[in-house]
PDB file of all heavy atoms in Angstrom:
ATOM      1  N   ILE A 795      -7.812 -36.657 -19.068  1.00 96.00           N
ATOM      2  CA  ILE A 795      -6.554 -36.204 -19.672  1.00 96.00           C
ATOM      3  C   ILE A 795      -5.488 -36.091 -18.591  1.00 96.00           C
ATOM      4  O   ILE A 795      -5.760 -35.594 -17.483  1.00 96.00           O
ATOM      5  CB  ILE A 795      -6.742 -34.851 -20.381  1.00 96.00           C
ATOM      6  CG1 ILE A 795      -7.705 -35.015 -21.561  1.00 96.00           C
ATOM      7  CG2 ILE A 795      -5.401 -34.283 -20.863  1.00 96.00           C
ATOM      8  CD1 ILE A 795      -8.077 -33.713 -22.234  1.00 96.00           C
ATOM      9  N   VAL A 796      -4.279 -36.532 -18.905  1.00 96.00           N
ATOM     10  CA  VAL A 796      -3.142 -36.405 -17.996  1.00 96.00           C
ATOM     11  C   VAL A 796      -2.083 -35.523 -18.660  1.00 96.00           C
ATOM     12  O   VAL A 796      -1.630 -35.811 -19.777  1.00 96.00           O
ATOM     13  CB  VAL A 796      -2.530 -37.779 -17.656  1.00 96.00           C
ATOM     14  CG1 VAL A 796      -1.304 -37.599 -16.760  1.00 96.00           C
ATOM     15  CG2 VAL A 796      -3.560 -38.661 -16.978  1.00 96.00           C
ATOM     16  N   LEU A 797      -1.720 -34.462 -17.960  1.00 95.00           N
ATOM     17  CA  LEU A 797      -0.647 -33.568 -18.407  1.00 95.00           C
ATOM     18  C   LEU A 797       0.543 -33.786 -17.482  1.00 95.00           C
ATOM     19  O   LEU A 797       0.420 -33.657 -16.262  1.00 95.00           O
ATOM     20  CB  LEU A 797      -1.109 -32.112 -18.342  1.00 95.00           C
ATOM     21  CG  LEU A 797      -0.063 -31.035 -18.629  1.00 95.00           C
ATOM     22  CD1 LEU A 797       0.390 -31.098 -20.093  1.00 95.00           C
ATOM     23  CD2 LEU A 797      -0.610 -29.648 -18.296  1.00 95.00           C
ATOM     24  N   LYS A 798       1.693 -34.141 -18.056  1.00 95.00           N
ATOM     25  CA  LYS A 798       2.843 -34.420 -17.201  1.00 95.00           C
ATOM     26  C   LYS A 798       4.138 -33.914 -17.833  1.00 95.00           C
ATOM     27  O   LYS A 798       4.194 -33.642 -19.036  1.00 95.00           O
ATOM     28  CB  LYS A 798       2.951 -35.909 -16.918  1.00 95.00           C
ATOM     29  CG  LYS A 798       3.045 -36.806 -18.145  1.00 95.00           C
ATOM     30  CD  LYS A 798       2.992 -38.269 -17.730  1.00 95.00           C
ATOM     31  CE  LYS A 798       3.054 -39.194 -18.925  1.00 95.00           C
ATOM     32  NZ  LYS A 798       2.984 -40.629 -18.521  1.00 95.00           N
ATOM     33  N   GLY A 799       5.152 -33.798 -16.992  1.00 95.00           N
ATOM     34  CA  GLY A 799       6.449 -33.323 -17.466  1.00 95.00           C
ATOM     35  C   GLY A 799       7.475 -33.388 -16.361  1.00 95.00           C
ATOM     36  O   GLY A 799       7.242 -33.974 -15.290  1.00 95.00           O
ATOM     37  N   ARG A 800       8.624 -32.762 -16.602  1.00 97.00           N
ATOM     38  CA  ARG A 800       9.723 -32.786 -15.616  1.00 97.00           C
ATOM     39  C   ARG A 800      10.494 -31.485 -15.711  1.00 97.00           C
ATOM     40  O   ARG A 800      10.770 -30.985 -16.806  1.00 97.00           O
ATOM     41  CB  ARG A 800      10.650 -33.973 -15.886  1.00 97.00           C
ATOM     42  CG  ARG A 800      11.756 -34.171 -14.841  1.00 97.00           C
ATOM     43  CD  ARG A 800      12.425 -35.524 -15.018  1.00 97.00           C
ATOM     44  NE  ARG A 800      13.427 -35.783 -13.990  1.00 97.00           N
ATOM     45  CZ  ARG A 800      14.744 -35.678 -14.197  1.00 97.00           C
ATOM     46  NH1 ARG A 800      15.209 -35.347 -15.405  1.00 97.00           N
ATOM     47  NH2 ARG A 800      15.588 -35.934 -13.216  1.00 97.00           N
ATOM     48  N   LEU A 801      10.844 -30.934 -14.544  1.00 97.00           N
ATOM     49  CA  LEU A 801      11.585 -29.676 -14.452  1.00 97.00           C
ATOM     50  C   LEU A 801      12.967 -29.938 -13.890  1.00 97.00           C
ATOM     51  O   LEU A 801      13.110 -30.549 -12.829  1.00 97.00           O
ATOM     52  CB  LEU A 801      10.833 -28.681 -13.562  1.00 97.00           C
ATOM     53  CG  LEU A 801      11.504 -27.338 -13.304  1.00 97.00           C
ATOM     54  CD1 LEU A 801      11.582 -26.515 -14.588  1.00 97.00           C
ATOM     55  CD2 LEU A 801      10.728 -26.548 -12.231  1.00 97.00           C
ATOM     56  N   LEU A 814       4.616 -24.846 -10.388  1.00 96.00           N
ATOM     57  CA  LEU A 814       4.408 -24.431 -11.767  1.00 96.00           C
ATOM     58  C   LEU A 814       2.985 -23.907 -11.912  1.00 96.00           C
ATOM     59  O   LEU A 814       2.048 -24.446 -11.314  1.00 96.00           O
ATOM     60  CB  LEU A 814       4.621 -25.597 -12.733  1.00 96.00           C
ATOM     61  CG  LEU A 814       5.964 -26.309 -12.662  1.00 96.00           C
ATOM     62  CD1 LEU A 814       5.968 -27.514 -13.592  1.00 96.00           C
ATOM     63  CD2 LEU A 814       7.081 -25.358 -13.024  1.00 96.00           C
ATOM     64  N   LEU A 816      -0.272 -22.968 -14.461  1.00 95.00           N
ATOM     65  CA  LEU A 816      -0.886 -23.308 -15.738  1.00 95.00           C
ATOM     66  C   LEU A 816      -1.894 -22.217 -16.094  1.00 95.00           C
ATOM     67  O   LEU A 816      -2.779 -21.890 -15.299  1.00 95.00           O
ATOM     68  CB  LEU A 816      -1.579 -24.668 -15.644  1.00 95.00           C
ATOM     69  CG  LEU A 816      -2.274 -25.185 -16.900  1.00 95.00           C
ATOM     70  CD1 LEU A 816      -1.238 -25.521 -17.975  1.00 95.00           C
ATOM     71  CD2 LEU A 816      -3.113 -26.421 -16.572  1.00 95.00           C
ATOM     72  N   VAL A 836       0.590 -26.684 -10.140  1.00 97.00           N
ATOM     73  CA  VAL A 836       1.012 -28.041  -9.788  1.00 97.00           C
ATOM     74  C   VAL A 836       2.442 -27.971  -9.270  1.00 97.00           C
ATOM     75  O   VAL A 836       3.257 -27.179  -9.761  1.00 97.00           O
ATOM     76  CB  VAL A 836       0.909 -28.984 -11.018  1.00 97.00           C
ATOM     77  CG1 VAL A 836       1.789 -28.506 -12.159  1.00 97.00           C
ATOM     78  CG2 VAL A 836       1.245 -30.415 -10.634  1.00 97.00           C
ATOM     79  N   ARG A 839       7.510 -33.121  -7.962  1.00 98.00           N
ATOM     80  CA  ARG A 839       7.880 -34.111  -6.955  1.00 98.00           C
ATOM     81  C   ARG A 839       9.384 -34.041  -6.672  1.00 98.00           C
ATOM     82  O   ARG A 839      10.092 -33.199  -7.233  1.00 98.00           O
ATOM     83  CB  ARG A 839       7.502 -35.508  -7.444  1.00 98.00           C
ATOM     84  CG  ARG A 839       6.034 -35.670  -7.864  1.00 98.00           C
ATOM     85  CD  ARG A 839       5.787 -37.108  -8.277  1.00 98.00           C
ATOM     86  NE  ARG A 839       4.423 -37.350  -8.728  1.00 98.00           N
ATOM     87  CZ  ARG A 839       4.061 -37.489 -10.002  1.00 98.00           C
ATOM     88  NH1 ARG A 839       4.977 -37.393 -10.968  1.00 98.00           N
ATOM     89  NH2 ARG A 839       2.795 -37.727 -10.324  1.00 98.00           N
ATOM     90  N   GLY A 842      11.567 -34.012  -9.680  1.00 98.00           N
ATOM     91  CA  GLY A 842      11.312 -32.946 -10.642  1.00 98.00           C
ATOM     92  C   GLY A 842      10.119 -33.176 -11.538  1.00 98.00           C
ATOM     93  O   GLY A 842       9.763 -32.291 -12.327  1.00 98.00           O
ATOM     94  N   THR A 843       9.476 -34.359 -11.454  1.00 98.00           N
ATOM     95  CA  THR A 843       8.328 -34.628 -12.312  1.00 98.00           C
ATOM     96  C   THR A 843       7.070 -33.957 -11.758  1.00 98.00           C
ATOM     97  O   THR A 843       6.972 -33.656 -10.561  1.00 98.00           O
ATOM     98  CB  THR A 843       8.081 -36.137 -12.450  1.00 98.00           C
ATOM     99  OG1 THR A 843       7.798 -36.682 -11.154  1.00 98.00           O
ATOM    100  CG2 THR A 843       9.287 -36.829 -13.066  1.00 98.00           C
ATOM    101  N   PHE A 844       6.104 -33.740 -12.636  1.00 98.00           N
ATOM    102  CA  PHE A 844       4.812 -33.206 -12.221  1.00 98.00           C
ATOM    103  C   PHE A 844       3.728 -33.841 -13.074  1.00 98.00           C
ATOM    104  O   PHE A 844       3.974 -34.323 -14.184  1.00 98.00           O
ATOM    105  CB  PHE A 844       4.773 -31.679 -12.340  1.00 98.00           C
ATOM    106  CG  PHE A 844       4.999 -31.145 -13.726  1.00 98.00           C
ATOM    107  CD1 PHE A 844       3.940 -30.942 -14.603  1.00 98.00           C
ATOM    108  CD2 PHE A 844       6.285 -30.829 -14.158  1.00 98.00           C
ATOM    109  CE1 PHE A 844       4.147 -30.441 -15.881  1.00 98.00           C
ATOM    110  CE2 PHE A 844       6.503 -30.320 -15.440  1.00 98.00           C
ATOM    111  CZ  PHE A 844       5.436 -30.125 -16.302  1.00 98.00           C
ATOM    112  N   GLU A 845       2.508 -33.851 -12.528  1.00 97.00           N
ATOM    113  CA  GLU A 845       1.389 -34.472 -13.228  1.00 97.00           C
ATOM    114  C   GLU A 845       0.100 -33.779 -12.822  1.00 97.00           C
ATOM    115  O   GLU A 845      -0.098 -33.474 -11.641  1.00 97.00           O
ATOM    116  CB  GLU A 845       1.330 -35.964 -12.906  1.00 97.00           C
ATOM    117  CG  GLU A 845       0.349 -36.747 -13.751  1.00 97.00           C
ATOM    118  CD  GLU A 845       0.484 -38.244 -13.531  1.00 97.00           C
ATOM    119  OE1 GLU A 845       1.594 -38.783 -13.793  1.00 97.00           O
ATOM    120  OE2 GLU A 845      -0.500 -38.859 -13.081  1.00 97.00           O
ATOM    121  N   LEU A 846      -0.774 -33.542 -13.793  1.00 97.00           N
ATOM    122  CA  LEU A 846      -2.022 -32.839 -13.533  1.00 97.00           C
ATOM    123  C   LEU A 846      -3.137 -33.537 -14.301  1.00 97.00           C
ATOM    124  O   LEU A 846      -2.999 -33.811 -15.497  1.00 97.00           O
ATOM    125  CB  LEU A 846      -1.900 -31.383 -13.980  1.00 97.00           C
ATOM    126  CG  LEU A 846      -2.994 -30.412 -13.540  1.00 97.00           C
ATOM    127  CD1 LEU A 846      -3.014 -30.289 -12.014  1.00 97.00           C
ATOM    128  CD2 LEU A 846      -2.740 -29.037 -14.161  1.00 97.00           C
ATOM    129  N   ASP A 847      -4.233 -33.848 -13.597  1.00 97.00           N
ATOM    130  CA  ASP A 847      -5.387 -34.489 -14.216  1.00 97.00           C
ATOM    131  C   ASP A 847      -6.389 -33.433 -14.667  1.00 97.00           C
ATOM    132  O   ASP A 847      -6.758 -32.530 -13.893  1.00 97.00           O
ATOM    133  CB  ASP A 847      -6.065 -35.441 -13.222  1.00 97.00           C
ATOM    134  CG  ASP A 847      -5.192 -36.629 -12.866  1.00 97.00           C
ATOM    135  OD1 ASP A 847      -4.432 -37.080 -13.754  1.00 97.00           O
ATOM    136  OD2 ASP A 847      -5.255 -37.087 -11.717  1.00 97.00           O
ATOM    137  N   LEU A 848      -6.846 -33.569 -15.916  1.00 97.00           N
ATOM    138  CA  LEU A 848      -7.811 -32.651 -16.498  1.00 97.00           C
ATOM    139  C   LEU A 848      -8.927 -33.437 -17.160  1.00 97.00           C
ATOM    140  O   LEU A 848      -8.832 -34.657 -17.350  1.00 97.00           O
ATOM    141  CB  LEU A 848      -7.136 -31.754 -17.541  1.00 97.00           C
ATOM    142  CG  LEU A 848      -5.908 -30.952 -17.119  1.00 97.00           C
ATOM    143  CD1 LEU A 848      -5.288 -30.275 -18.331  1.00 97.00           C
ATOM    144  CD2 LEU A 848      -6.284 -29.918 -16.076  1.00 97.00           C
ATOM    145  N   VAL A 864       2.313 -23.596 -19.534  1.00 94.00           N
ATOM    146  CA  VAL A 864       2.909 -24.014 -18.263  1.00 94.00           C
ATOM    147  C   VAL A 864       4.149 -23.160 -18.060  1.00 94.00           C
ATOM    148  O   VAL A 864       5.021 -23.099 -18.938  1.00 94.00           O
ATOM    149  CB  VAL A 864       3.281 -25.510 -18.270  1.00 94.00           C
ATOM    150  CG1 VAL A 864       4.028 -25.873 -16.988  1.00 94.00           C
ATOM    151  CG2 VAL A 864       2.030 -26.362 -18.387  1.00 94.00           C
ATOM    152  N   ALA A 877       6.083 -23.119 -21.621  1.00 94.00           N
ATOM    153  CA  ALA A 877       5.690 -23.975 -22.737  1.00 94.00           C
ATOM    154  C   ALA A 877       4.292 -23.578 -23.173  1.00 94.00           C
ATOM    155  O   ALA A 877       3.411 -23.343 -22.332  1.00 94.00           O
ATOM    156  CB  ALA A 877       5.723 -25.448 -22.333  1.00 94.00           C
ATOM    157  N   PHE A 879       0.990 -24.598 -25.752  1.00 92.00           N
ATOM    158  CA  PHE A 879       0.508 -25.759 -26.491  1.00 92.00           C
ATOM    159  C   PHE A 879      -1.011 -25.877 -26.375  1.00 92.00           C
ATOM    160  O   PHE A 879      -1.608 -25.440 -25.386  1.00 92.00           O
ATOM    161  CB  PHE A 879       1.145 -27.041 -25.929  1.00 92.00           C
ATOM    162  CG  PHE A 879       0.946 -27.203 -24.443  1.00 92.00           C
ATOM    163  CD1 PHE A 879      -0.122 -27.939 -23.941  1.00 92.00           C
ATOM    164  CD2 PHE A 879       1.813 -26.583 -23.549  1.00 92.00           C
ATOM    165  CE1 PHE A 879      -0.311 -28.058 -22.583  1.00 92.00           C
ATOM    166  CE2 PHE A 879       1.619 -26.709 -22.180  1.00 92.00           C
ATOM    167  CZ  PHE A 879       0.558 -27.448 -21.695  1.00 92.00           C
ATOM    168  N   ILE A 881      -4.165 -28.865 -26.181  1.00 92.00           N
ATOM    169  CA  ILE A 881      -4.290 -30.252 -25.719  1.00 92.00           C
ATOM    170  C   ILE A 881      -5.294 -30.950 -26.625  1.00 92.00           C
ATOM    171  O   ILE A 881      -6.465 -30.580 -26.666  1.00 92.00           O
ATOM    172  CB  ILE A 881      -4.734 -30.316 -24.249  1.00 92.00           C
ATOM    173  CG1 ILE A 881      -3.635 -29.753 -23.339  1.00 92.00           C
ATOM    174  CG2 ILE A 881      -5.071 -31.753 -23.846  1.00 92.00           C
ATOM    175  CD1 ILE A 881      -3.990 -29.729 -21.875  1.00 92.00           C
ATOM    176  N   SER A 884      -5.434 -37.627 -24.920  1.00 93.00           N
ATOM    177  CA  SER A 884      -5.684 -37.990 -23.527  1.00 93.00           C
ATOM    178  C   SER A 884      -4.439 -37.896 -22.646  1.00 93.00           C
ATOM    179  O   SER A 884      -4.549 -37.776 -21.430  1.00 93.00           O
ATOM    180  CB  SER A 884      -6.255 -39.405 -23.448  1.00 93.00           C
ATOM    181  OG  SER A 884      -5.332 -40.350 -23.982  1.00 93.00           O
ATOM    182  N   GLU A 885      -3.267 -37.988 -23.239  1.00 93.00           N
ATOM    183  CA  GLU A 885      -2.032 -37.879 -22.459  1.00 93.00           C
ATOM    184  C   GLU A 885      -1.086 -36.926 -23.165  1.00 93.00           C
ATOM    185  O   GLU A 885      -0.792 -37.091 -24.347  1.00 93.00           O
ATOM    186  CB  GLU A 885      -1.371 -39.235 -22.289  1.00 93.00           C
ATOM    187  CG  GLU A 885      -0.115 -39.183 -21.416  1.00 93.00           C
ATOM    188  CD  GLU A 885       0.441 -40.560 -21.111  1.00 93.00           C
ATOM    189  OE1 GLU A 885      -0.301 -41.369 -20.524  1.00 93.00           O
ATOM    190  OE2 GLU A 885       1.614 -40.804 -21.459  1.00 93.00           O
ATOM    191  N   VAL A 886      -0.613 -35.920 -22.445  1.00 92.00           N
ATOM    192  CA  VAL A 886       0.340 -34.943 -22.981  1.00 92.00           C
ATOM    193  C   VAL A 886       1.594 -34.994 -22.126  1.00 92.00           C
ATOM    194  O   VAL A 886       1.571 -34.609 -20.949  1.00 92.00           O
ATOM    195  CB  VAL A 886      -0.245 -33.511 -22.985  1.00 92.00           C
ATOM    196  CG1 VAL A 886       0.784 -32.532 -23.531  1.00 92.00           C
ATOM    197  CG2 VAL A 886      -1.523 -33.459 -23.802  1.00 92.00           C
ATOM    198  N   ALA A 887       2.673 -35.512 -22.703  1.00 93.00           N
ATOM    199  CA  ALA A 887       3.966 -35.562 -22.015  1.00 93.00           C
ATOM    200  C   ALA A 887       4.820 -34.426 -22.579  1.00 93.00           C
ATOM    201  O   ALA A 887       5.310 -34.498 -23.703  1.00 93.00           O
ATOM    202  CB  ALA A 887       4.641 -36.907 -22.238  1.00 93.00           C
ATOM    203  N   LEU A 888       4.968 -33.377 -21.807  1.00 94.00           N
ATOM    204  CA  LEU A 888       5.720 -32.208 -22.264  1.00 94.00           C
ATOM    205  C   LEU A 888       7.214 -32.524 -22.349  1.00 94.00           C
ATOM    206  O   LEU A 888       7.717 -33.370 -21.600  1.00 94.00           O
ATOM    207  CB  LEU A 888       5.497 -31.041 -21.308  1.00 94.00           C
ATOM    208  CG  LEU A 888       4.073 -30.490 -21.232  1.00 94.00           C
ATOM    209  CD1 LEU A 888       3.988 -29.413 -20.161  1.00 94.00           C
ATOM    210  CD2 LEU A 888       3.635 -29.934 -22.581  1.00 94.00           C
ATOM    211  N   PRO A 889       7.935 -31.843 -23.246  1.00 93.00           N
ATOM    212  CA  PRO A 889       9.394 -31.980 -23.261  1.00 93.00           C
ATOM    213  C   PRO A 889       9.978 -31.567 -21.905  1.00 93.00           C
ATOM    214  O   PRO A 889       9.378 -30.763 -21.193  1.00 93.00           O
ATOM    215  CB  PRO A 889       9.832 -31.014 -24.373  1.00 93.00           C
ATOM    216  CG  PRO A 889       8.607 -30.771 -25.188  1.00 93.00           C
ATOM    217  CD  PRO A 889       7.445 -30.898 -24.255  1.00 93.00           C
ATOM    218  N   THR A 890      11.112 -32.131 -21.549  1.00 93.00           N
ATOM    219  CA  THR A 890      11.749 -31.782 -20.278  1.00 93.00           C
ATOM    220  C   THR A 890      11.972 -30.277 -20.186  1.00 93.00           C
ATOM    221  O   THR A 890      12.495 -29.646 -21.097  1.00 93.00           O
ATOM    222  CB  THR A 890      13.094 -32.507 -20.131  1.00 93.00           C
ATOM    223  OG1 THR A 890      12.854 -33.916 -20.143  1.00 93.00           O
ATOM    224  CG2 THR A 890      13.782 -32.130 -18.833  1.00 93.00           C
ATOM    225  N   PHE A 891      11.512 -29.709 -19.073  1.00 93.00           N
ATOM    226  CA  PHE A 891      11.747 -28.298 -18.786  1.00 93.00           C
ATOM    227  C   PHE A 891      13.164 -28.158 -18.239  1.00 93.00           C
ATOM    228  O   PHE A 891      13.417 -28.485 -17.078  1.00 93.00           O
ATOM    229  CB  PHE A 891      10.766 -27.803 -17.725  1.00 93.00           C
ATOM    230  CG  PHE A 891       9.489 -27.244 -18.274  1.00 93.00           C
ATOM    231  CD1 PHE A 891       8.970 -27.682 -19.468  1.00 93.00           C
ATOM    232  CD2 PHE A 891       8.808 -26.256 -17.582  1.00 93.00           C
ATOM    233  CE1 PHE A 891       7.799 -27.160 -19.979  1.00 93.00           C
ATOM    234  CE2 PHE A 891       7.629 -25.733 -18.071  1.00 93.00           C
ATOM    235  CZ  PHE A 891       7.126 -26.190 -19.272  1.00 93.00           C
ATOM    236  N   ALA A 972       5.304 -33.022 -28.672  1.00 75.00           N
ATOM    237  CA  ALA A 972       4.795 -33.806 -27.552  1.00 75.00           C
ATOM    238  C   ALA A 972       3.629 -34.608 -28.086  1.00 75.00           C
ATOM    239  O   ALA A 972       2.515 -34.115 -28.198  1.00 75.00           O
ATOM    240  CB  ALA A 972       4.352 -32.902 -26.405  1.00 75.00           C
ATOM    241  N   VAL A 977       4.835 -28.041 -29.324  1.00 92.00           N
ATOM    242  CA  VAL A 977       4.964 -27.244 -28.103  1.00 92.00           C
ATOM    243  C   VAL A 977       5.988 -26.151 -28.349  1.00 92.00           C
ATOM    244  O   VAL A 977       7.111 -26.425 -28.787  1.00 92.00           O
ATOM    245  CB  VAL A 977       5.396 -28.123 -26.911  1.00 92.00           C
ATOM    246  CG1 VAL A 977       5.584 -27.272 -25.651  1.00 92.00           C
ATOM    247  CG2 VAL A 977       4.378 -29.215 -26.665  1.00 92.00           C
TER     248      VAL A 977
END
Side-chain angles (χ1 to χ4, degrees):
I795 295 174
V796 177
L797 174 67
K798 57 186 179 181
R800 185 168 184 257
L801 177 67
L814 304 175
L816 180 68
V836 60
R839 306 182 182 104
T843 61
F844 60 90
E845 190 172 300
L846 192 63
D847 293 327
L848 305 173
V864 174
F879 54 94
I881 293 178
S884 61
E885 183 173 301
V886 179
L888 295 175
T890 299
F891 269 29
V977 178

